[in-house]
Amino acid sequence: MKAAVLAAQDRARAGEIEPVAVADAAVAALPAGMRAVLNATGVVLHTNLGRAALSPAAVGAVVRAAGHTDVELDLRTGKRARRGRDVLAALAAAVPDAGAVHVVNNGAAALVLAATALAAGREIIVSRGEMVEIGDGFRLPDLLASTGARLREVGTTNRTSVVDYANAVGPETGFILKVHPSNFVIRGFTLSTDISEMSGLGVPVVADIGSGLLRPDPLLPDEPDAATTLRAGADLVIASGDKLLGGPQSGLLLGDAALVERLRRHPLARALRVDKLTLAALHATVAGPPTPTWEALRADAGELRERTEQLRARLGLGEVVAATAVVGGGGAPELELPSWALALPAGWAAPLREGDPPVVGRVERGRLLLDLRCVPPSADAGLIEAINAAARAAQEPQEQHAEGPTCSS
Ligand SMILES: *Cc1c(COP(=O)(O)O)cnc(C)c1O
């Protein structure tokens, strides 16, 4: 395996191949690691598949940043510079209502930093209707309590009024936390308090909006965004970078300059710091062209149907059926995106998952559905090859494949 890399290095030195081919040879020689997967689930932000796919611009930025970079150096003066200053400037430009911005490792880290810096040993006031489980067994109340802050629960599961918050505010209050219930909805006899009402209570209001929309998106009317939330009076907005924003895993903190500075200067901030690759990808996401997430959410159903018909014609197998795609990743749980899928026998799910490239679809009513919404058209040829291989495998006398659920969001 080393020999292949050395041979490629020799050929590159001799000018026979491009240096990038050496990198390819090195990667090919590695023991199997994370694999690139075709997401045919119709779940745009699939947590098990790494949530948002980065834009080509963000991928390019990551590659450029992989070597030595000016991440903390001002090339003009030769002096130390603010780490990630280009990302912070891009976020500030995108959300002018934010006095300052800070970036940490993920949304949970942003919550932990805010709770530690602003409420350790004191109280965080939160509605009983917003005690959310994020996923994989992680619960917001536990996360906050782990910082040494005390949770002061107010209201009930379905109704929390501004009076409930007002009655709980006191000398022990660190801040009021408003959490967007991003992966469920409460309907019926409900009452929740607007940020604008909370902001008059004399203590900081921290809003965890979850999904990372910087501005309102007409396609997602029920998803809060940073600009509107700040304008309503939130002092600090917390969001994830790899959900609807479509960027790398990261946690955004936007808002009051003095509060953000306190977070940035807290010793814990260093432990939650993001690396240069994340900063590069986030900058290209915020300042660059539309992301694959944005495009997948807006993919035209008619065009998807046509592409799926073409795929079926080229394969000579399967059936084109109407399907429903979703946002996933704990966002916009009620939004259904009309879509189309190629229906195949459910038994092909396992060989496709283990194929090359691995294709992950979704099994519904005894059929495997492949939804092209999140598969880039440039991957269609690979998809056809993978399906043909699965078809051949299905005809051979069975060597047993591992059973298991095809996917869960
Ligand atoms: C997703 C989410 C989180 C956690 O963010 P991560 O980036 O996954 O750590 C926290 N709060 C809300 C409301 C969320 O939707």
Side-chain angles (χ1 to χ4, degrees):
M1 132 181 139
K2 274 237 176 84
V5 179
L6 291 175
Q9 278 173 342
D10 283 344
R11 293 187 61 200
R13 259 183 239 115
E16 289 172 39
I17 56 172
E18 292 289 320
V20 67
V22 180
D24 286 347
V27 171
L30 283 174
M34 232 188 275
R35 298 184 69 190
V37 167
L38 294 185
N39 174 10
T41 60
V43 180
V44 178
L45 298 168
H46 198 300
T47 302
N48 302 157
L49 301 180
R51 286 195 185 151
L54 294 182
S55 68
V59 172
V62 169
V63 170
R64 271 198 309 283
H68 294 139
T69 74
D70 65 345
V71 62
E72 277 185 33
L73 184 75
D74 183 333
L75 293 173
R76 200 169 46 82
T77 62
K79 296 218 164 72
R80 184 188 192 124
R82 167 74 61 91
R83 185 181 175 85
R85 56 205 175 284
D86 48 355
V87 186
L88 301 179
L91 282 166
V95 188
D97 297 275
V101 185
H102 184 59
V103 180
V104 292
N105 191 47
N106 57 12
L111 273 167
V112 164
L113 182 58
T116 307
L118 309 178
R122 304 174 69 204
E123 288 180 353
I124 298 173
I125 301 175
V126 64
S127 160
R128 290 195 169 88
E130 298 173 7
M131 310 279 278
V132 175
E133 177 167 321
I134 311 171
D136 196 25
F138 286 99
R139 295 173 166 178
L140 237 70
D142 300 342
L143 189 77
L144 295 169
S146 76
T147 67
R150 295 188 304 279
L151 283 193
R152 176 81 181 261
E153 301 171 28
V154 296
T156 60
T157 306
N158 55 330
R159 292 174 72 86
T160 305
S161 73
V162 68
V163 176
D164 293 319
Y165 288 102
N167 287 341
V169 168
E172 284 297 292
T173 306
F175 58 83
I176 296 176
L177 177 64
K178 172 90 171 163
V179 182
H180 175 58
S182 31
N183 49 12
F184 67 99
V185 289
I186 297 182
R187 240 196 299 262
F189 185 52
T190 64
L191 175 73
S192 70
T193 304
D194 289 336
I195 301 264
S196 56
E197 297 175 88
M198 295 176 183
S199 70
L201 297 177
V203 292
V205 175
V206 177
D208 174 10
I209 62 169
S211 249
L213 284 185
L214 300 180
R215 289 174 294 246
D217 184 336
L219 184 73
L220 305 157
D222 296 330
E223 283 296 307
D225 66 278
T228 307
T229 307
L230 287 171
R231 217 166 298 151
D235 298 281
L236 204 57
V237 164
I238 287 174
S240 296
D242 58 350
K243 294 182 179 171
L244 290 169
L245 184 63
Q249 179 189 302
S250 50
L252 313 181
L253 291 143
L254 308 101
D256 178 76
L259 283 185
V260 172
E261 187 61 14
R262 270 174 74 188
L263 304 185
R264 203 176 72 76
R265 284 277 131 221
H266 191 280
L268 185 60
R270 178 55 192 247
L272 306 175
R273 184 173 98 154
V274 288
D275 76 335
K276 59 184 176 173
L277 303 183
T278 301
L279 291 170
L282 190 57
H283 178 245
T285 300
V286 175
T291 64
T293 301
W294 194 92
E295 281 171 349
L297 289 173
R298 280 164 181 76
D300 180 73
E303 284 172 22
L304 281 172
R305 178 180 196 173
E306 211 167 287
R307 201 173 134 215
T308 312
E309 300 275 11
Q310 280 166 13
L311 182 72
R312 206 212 71 80
R314 284 166 74 184
L315 283 162
L317 50 82
E319 187 191 340
V320 177
V321 298
T324 303
V326 295
V327 174
E334 301 260 279
L335 185 70
E336 297 190 340
L337 303 163
S339 206
W340 292 86
L342 184 72
L344 297 171
W348 294 16
L352 275 168
R353 273 201 317 268
E354 296 176 68
D356 185 23
V359 178
V360 183
R362 123 178 144 257
V363 175
E364 213 173 86
R365 277 183 251 131
R367 291 191 297 186
L368 172 67
L369 301 186
L370 300 182
D371 185 327
L372 300 186
R373 180 176 289 270
C374 307
V375 178
S378 61
D380 282 0
L383 179 60
I384 287 172
E385 234 170 83
I387 296 172
N388 278 329
R392 283 194 300 275
Q395 271 160 11
E396 283 162 16
Q398 277 304 304
E399 153 212 353
Q400 206 52 49
H401 277 284
E403 281 301 322
T406 298
C407 77
S408 68
S409 64

